[in-house]
């Protein structure tokens, strides 16, 4: 398959595994709708003018006791089903004994399993699009603790799921828990760079003016990729932690130590998989600013901002941060989307490419590594 795939050709050739259908778990409707828009557009370009949507309505209603069930509202027999779930969407709520409960990742994962059960034995094949990997932050064991992500993946495999598509996994090695399952971990590098250049047309990737810095050792691989494709230098911070105490489930950071060449006068790009409270990212940005960095761009695939936006507003006002880049692969609070300093990257078309390729049993290796598209993007500059 060419890196620049022409998706409408797949529809025109008509050699799909089975009829393509999408299901949206509660909370994943926005991303599913965007993926569907791309698929419908490609189908119509291929001459399938009667195709209005690939989405089958579904729901996970709850009883008064709090128990729930999954319902799929149309036939799925013989279909190639793709279920989209957003485990991080805390905006979805339900009533329980008079209280309003906001759904946790556990609730979203339970809904996913309910919809898998609803189509089990009827669908030709079931694939899961889970951009934010459930349990992904609990991916390894250091003491007597659970391995949530590994067990969840094994559970999905046991239920008959054949493909899992995720994005920027906290540690992609967790797929070792299911070595016989098709597991694709995609990185939205091209989409981030394209959107960033559109927002900042004056941005130069010259190594004398631009540098990539990893916020910690765990994020080195994604930052190494950015520095490699951009041809610029790479620095990193490592976190000194206090391993004698545990706060909010983790050992608190004592200090960020920097390794690398001078960042003075340069635009610095810092990439991570997630911004939770954002304290670590802000501390890294302040450390870089203290070392003379000019502009600091923070990038996170999943912009959660669990502690709100006030501290980031202050950092931008003080000139510590110039821009924060995030994607629409998870729920973003409405206030975030209104911030001028925030750049929201649409990754739905990238996800749709995976759907159409898998539906036709085509290789996704060229999609997963968009180096040629990145080179073409940079060549224009």
């Amino acid at each position: 398959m060419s890196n620049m795939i022409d998706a409408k050709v797949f529809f025109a050739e008509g050699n799909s595994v089975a009829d393509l259908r999408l299901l949206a778990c509660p909370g994943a409707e926005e991303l599913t709708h965007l993926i569907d828009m791309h698929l419908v557009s490609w189908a119509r370009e291929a001459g399938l003018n009667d195709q209005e949507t690939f989405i089958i309505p579904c729901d996970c209603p709850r009883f008064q006791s709090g128990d729930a069930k999954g319902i799929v509202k149309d036939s799925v027999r013989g279909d190639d089903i793709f279920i989209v779930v957003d485990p991080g969407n805390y905006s979805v709520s339900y009533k329980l004994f008079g209280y309003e409960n906001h759904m946790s990742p556990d609730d979203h994962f339970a809904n996913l399993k309910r919809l898998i059960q609803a189509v089990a034995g009827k669908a030709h094949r079931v694939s899961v699009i889970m951009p934010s990997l459930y349990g992904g932050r609990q991916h390894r064991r250091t003491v007597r603790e659970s391995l949530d992500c590994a067990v969840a993946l094994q559970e999905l495999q046991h239920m008959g799921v054949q493909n899992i598509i995720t994005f920027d996994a906290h540690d992609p090695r967790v797929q070792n828990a299911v070595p016989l399952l098709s597991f694709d971990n995609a990185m939205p590098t091209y989409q981030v760079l394209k959107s960033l250049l559109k927002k900042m047309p004056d941005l130069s990737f010259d190594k004398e003016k631009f540098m990539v810095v990893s916020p910690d050792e765990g994020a080195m691989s994604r930052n190494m990729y950015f520095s490699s494709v951009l041809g610029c230098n790479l620095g990193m911070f490592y976190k000194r932690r206090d391993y004698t105490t545990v706060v909010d489930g983790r050992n608190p950071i004592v200090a960020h130590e920097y390794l690398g060449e001078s960042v003075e006068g340069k635009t610095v790009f810092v990439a991570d998989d997630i911004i939770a409270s954002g304290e670590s990212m802000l501390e890294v940005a302040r450390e870089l600013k203290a070392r003379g960095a000019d502009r600091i761009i923070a990038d996170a695939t999943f912009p959660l901002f669990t502690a709100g936006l006030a501290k980031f507003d202050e950092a931008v006002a003080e000139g510590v941060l110039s821009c924060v880049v995030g994607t629409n692969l998870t729920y973003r609070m409405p206030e975030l989307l209104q911030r001028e300093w925030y750049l929201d990257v649409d990754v739905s078309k990238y996800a749709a490419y995976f759907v159409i390729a898998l539906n036709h049993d085509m290789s996704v290796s060229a999609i997963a590594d968009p180096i040629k598209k990145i080179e073409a993007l940079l060549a224009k500059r």
Side-chain angles (χ1 to χ4, degrees), residues 15 28 33 35 107 110 129 131 135 140 165 231 286 306 321 339 371:
N15 56 351
H33 175 67
I35 293 173
D107 294 314
I129 302 175
R140 62 183 177 184
I165 305 166
R286 294 187 188 282
T306 58
L321 272 177
R339 293 299 197 270
I371 184 63

Side-chain angles (χ1 to χ4, degrees), residues 93-104:
S93 62
Y94 60 92
K95 293 288 186 179
L96 182 62
F97 291 92
Y99 295 96
E100 184 177 9
N101 279 17
H102 286 264
M103 288 181 61
S104 70

Side-chain angles (χ1 to χ4, degrees), residues 9-25:
V9 172
F10 289 161
F11 282 110
E13 292 176 347
N15 56 351
S16 63
V17 171
D19 288 344
L20 170 61
R21 293 293 183 266
L22 300 173
L23 295 178
C25 287

Side-chain angles (χ1 to χ4, degrees), residues 89-279:
N89 192 341
Y90 59 90
S91 71
V92 184
S93 62
Y94 60 92
K95 293 288 186 179
L96 182 62
F97 291 92
Y99 295 96
E100 184 177 9
N101 279 17
H102 286 264
M103 288 181 61
S104 70
D106 297 337
D107 294 314
H108 287 290
F109 187 65
N111 278 345
L112 169 64
K113 292 188 291 183
R114 290 178 180 114
L115 292 180
I116 293 173
Q117 293 173 63
V119 302
K122 306 174 185 67
H124 175 79
R125 185 175 65 178
V126 177
S127 301
V128 171
I129 302 175
M130 188 189 297
S132 173
L133 198 59
Y134 169 75
R137 301 191 75 183
Q138 184 51 30
H139 62 287
R140 62 183 177 184
R141 175 181 288 156
T142 55
V143 290
R144 292 176 297 277
E145 54 188 18
S146 61
L147 288 171
D148 295 24
C149 192
V151 171
L153 293 176
Q154 290 178 352
E155 192 170 2
L156 293 179
Q157 183 179 37
H158 178 71
M159 295 183 74
V161 172
Q162 293 185 335
N163 300 293
I164 294 179
I165 305 166
T166 191
F167 289 81
D168 200 354
H170 191 68
D171 188 340
R173 290 175 296 183
V174 74
Q175 67 184 287
N176 292 340
V178 283
L180 301 182
L181 183 66
S182 172
F183 183 99
D184 290 297
N185 177 46
M187 302 293 292
T189 310
Y190 169 73
Q191 289 74 17
V192 167
L193 291 176
K194 183 178 179 180
S195 298
L196 192 59
L197 288 173
K198 186 176 181 179
K199 180 179 178 66
M200 298 181 174
D202 63 325
L203 190 62
S204 171
F205 296 130
D206 188 298
K207 63 174 58 179
E208 300 300 323
K209 302 178 182 179
F210 187 90
M211 189 171 174
V212 174
V213 172
S214 176
D216 54 39
E217 59 274 23
M220 273 298 289
S221 59
R222 63 179 61 84
N223 284 279
M224 285 174 62
Y225 189 85
F226 272 109
S227 66
S228 297
V229 298
L230 296 176
C232 62
N233 294 323
L234 174 69
M236 72 163 288
F237 283 89
Y238 70 90
K239 298 173 181 176
R240 284 200 292 115
R241 295 182 180 271
D242 179 4
Y243 289 99
T244 64
T245 59
V246 176
V247 179
D248 293 333
R250 61 181 182 176
N251 303 110
I253 299 168
V254 176
H256 287 84
E257 303 289 351
Y258 177 68
L259 298 174
E261 66 175 32
S262 173
V263 297
E264 188 171 358
K266 297 179 181 178
T267 295
V268 180
F269 182 84
V270 184
D272 211 345
D273 61 328
I274 182 175
I275 290 179
S277 67
E279 292 180 5

